[in-house]
Amino acid sequence: MSADLTKTPTETPDESSEETATGTSRGAIPITAAQLPRLAPLLVAVVGAAVAAFFWLILDWPPVGSLIVGGIVYLLALPAWSLAVEGRRRATDRMMTGLVWTSAVIAMVPLVSLIYTVISKGAGVVNSEFLTYSLFATQLDQPPGIYHAIMGTLIITLGAAIISIPIGVLAAIYLVEYGKRNRLARMVTFLVDVMTGIPSIVAGLFAFALFTLLFGAGFQGGIGGSVALSLLMIPIVVRATEEMLRLVPDDLREAAYALGTPKWRTITKVVLPTTIGGIITGVTLSIARVIGETAPLLLIAGLAAKTNTNPFDGAMTTLPVQIYSFNSRQETIDLAWGAALVLIVIVLALNLVARLIGKFYAPKTGN
């Protein structure tokens, strides 16, 4: 009797084989959730493109408006489909991902449009004669060029860099290494913040007033343009250098002090070599920032039709000023687009140089 009570019911062969085949027992919770197909974003994008084509071709909407409608359809349809299949969290993730990509595309549209417009309208003008001849015609059959403006841009920008880089770097060293938030350091920081936001025309007026007091009325020269641009460069150099110096750990400074190294030698041998890549990058970007200024140079540097390589004697033309002059006359608008293309190439080259220098001098992180 007791043997019969202790018997356990045996599983039938059909039930055990069914549980083995499915891998789960009765009442188990699945560990995988429903997901959209891998090509779901592509399918929804095709639907959005079809809607945009319908509004454009059938309803005769503008292309931009049709693209906006197609983008809205994509941003709404994919999260809605995901909400029905995958749940709220996955739908929210897909919606935010779509918004991020949409924002990136919208930010790129003006840049791509600008580059395309300048290249399409200015590429046909740029040639060897355009780059090597000045606007002043020494011969009757000489075509107009921008060589004088290129030389003026390089000379004035170089002068501004010579003025700005020592002042900006030394001011940043004082703020980080010596100031330690004292009253003078706070005042310098406040003035740097104010200079960062001043309009460029104010810098031109300051340079114009300064050189008028020194040399009399009617003075125009490249040195005045360099002084005006330096007022715009110094705050950028100070901020870039200051941020780089603050990234140096205090342990490096304290280790140098423990070895008996003076403070000035610690700065020159430990702090500056550690941050030289970031400082050079900030300086290069500040040069790219001011190389396209027009208003201050119109006031103090002037406009010349021939090449002038002496910044202390006579007017000196830069590319932005020459572009402004070309654009003021209907027959030279094509030359303005060509000069704009050259200026964009120069700025792009400066940014690439900054990236390469920053990468070259970046701290090595190998094992």
Side-chain angles (χ1 to χ4, degrees):
M1 187 71 173
S2 59
D4 295 337
L5 293 175
T6 58
K7 286 184 179 180
T8 57
T10 59
E11 297 177 350
T12 62
D14 294 337
E15 293 177 348
S16 60
S17 61
E18 182 179 355
E19 289 180 0
T20 304
T22 58
T24 58
S25 59
R26 188 176 300 173
I29 299 175
I31 61 175
T32 59
Q35 293 182 352
L36 292 180
R38 185 175 302 229
L39 297 178
L42 180 60
L43 296 176
V44 178
V46 171
V47 174
V51 173
F54 173 79
F55 276 84
W56 180 28
L57 300 176
I58 305 301
L59 300 182
D60 199 20
W61 276 39
V64 176
S66 303
L67 288 175
I68 292 175
V69 172
I72 293 175
V73 169
Y74 177 83
L75 291 177
L76 295 179
L78 184 60
W81 189 8
S82 178
L83 180 63
V85 176
E86 298 175 325
R88 181 178 178 181
R89 293 182 61 184
R90 187 63 176 167
T92 303
D93 178 73
R94 290 186 181 276
M95 181 180 66
M96 295 307 299
T97 302
L99 291 176
V100 169
W101 279 100
T102 303
S103 301
V105 171
I106 293 175
M108 289 295 295
V109 167
L111 177 61
V112 174
S113 176
L114 173 65
I115 294 177
Y116 172 78
T117 303
V118 174
I119 292 177
S120 61
K121 294 187 176 182
V125 180
V126 178
N127 50 43
S128 59
E129 296 176 346
F130 186 70
L131 299 176
T132 56
Y133 286 171
S134 299
L135 185 62
F136 180 75
T138 57
Q139 300 176 2
L140 294 179
D141 58 345
Q142 175 182 314
I146 59 171
Y147 175 77
H148 65 297
I150 295 176
M151 294 302 298
T153 300
L154 297 179
I155 292 173
I156 291 177
T157 307
L158 178 62
I162 293 174
I163 298 172
S164 305
I165 294 173
I167 296 176
V169 172
L170 292 176
I173 290 175
Y174 171 78
L175 292 176
V176 177
E177 302 295 337
Y178 294 95
K180 299 301 182 183
R181 306 299 299 175
N182 58 25
R183 181 176 297 179
L184 180 59
R186 291 195 298 270
M187 184 181 300
V188 172
T189 302
F190 173 75
L191 293 177
V192 169
D193 293 337
V194 172
M195 290 178 64
T196 304
I198 63 172
S200 60
I201 189 64
V202 176
L205 288 172
F206 170 80
F208 179 79
L210 175 63
F211 283 91
T212 298
L213 292 175
L214 294 177
F215 301 102
F219 175 84
Q220 286 186 334
I223 185 63
S226 297
V227 171
L229 294 185
S230 66
L231 296 178
L232 304 175
M233 281 186 61
I234 288 175
I236 303 175
V237 177
V238 171
R239 279 285 173 240
T241 306
E242 185 180 2
E243 293 301 323
M244 289 297 104
L245 294 178
R246 293 188 187 280
L247 293 178
V248 178
D250 289 335
D251 295 342
L252 293 178
R253 299 181 178 89
E254 294 172 358
Y257 298 153
L259 295 175
T261 308
K263 191 178 186 66
W264 68 270
R265 195 168 183 83
T266 300
I267 295 173
T268 57
K269 296 297 183 180
V270 177
V271 178
L272 289 180
T274 306
T275 61
I276 189 64
I279 294 174
I280 294 177
T281 302
V283 168
T284 309
L285 293 178
S286 68
I287 294 174
R289 155 70 176 80
V290 302
I291 199 173
E293 290 293 339
T294 306
L297 301 181
L298 277 172
L299 290 174
I300 187 62
L303 179 64
K306 60 180 180 179
T307 304
N308 178 19
T309 58
N310 186 0
F312 300 95
D313 183 19
M316 182 176 289
T317 305
T318 60
L319 279 172
V321 176
Q322 190 61 66
I323 293 171
Y324 173 80
S325 177
F326 282 152
N327 191 62
S328 62
R329 291 175 294 178
Q330 185 66 31
E331 62 273 11
T332 57
I333 289 181
D334 293 339
L335 300 178
W337 286 109
L341 177 58
V342 174
L343 181 60
I344 288 179
V345 171
I346 294 175
V347 174
L348 178 61
L350 288 175
N351 282 273
L352 291 178
V353 169
R355 298 291 183 181
L356 293 177
I357 292 176
K359 185 177 180 180
F360 179 78
Y361 285 101
K364 304 301 184 291
T365 58
N367 294 327

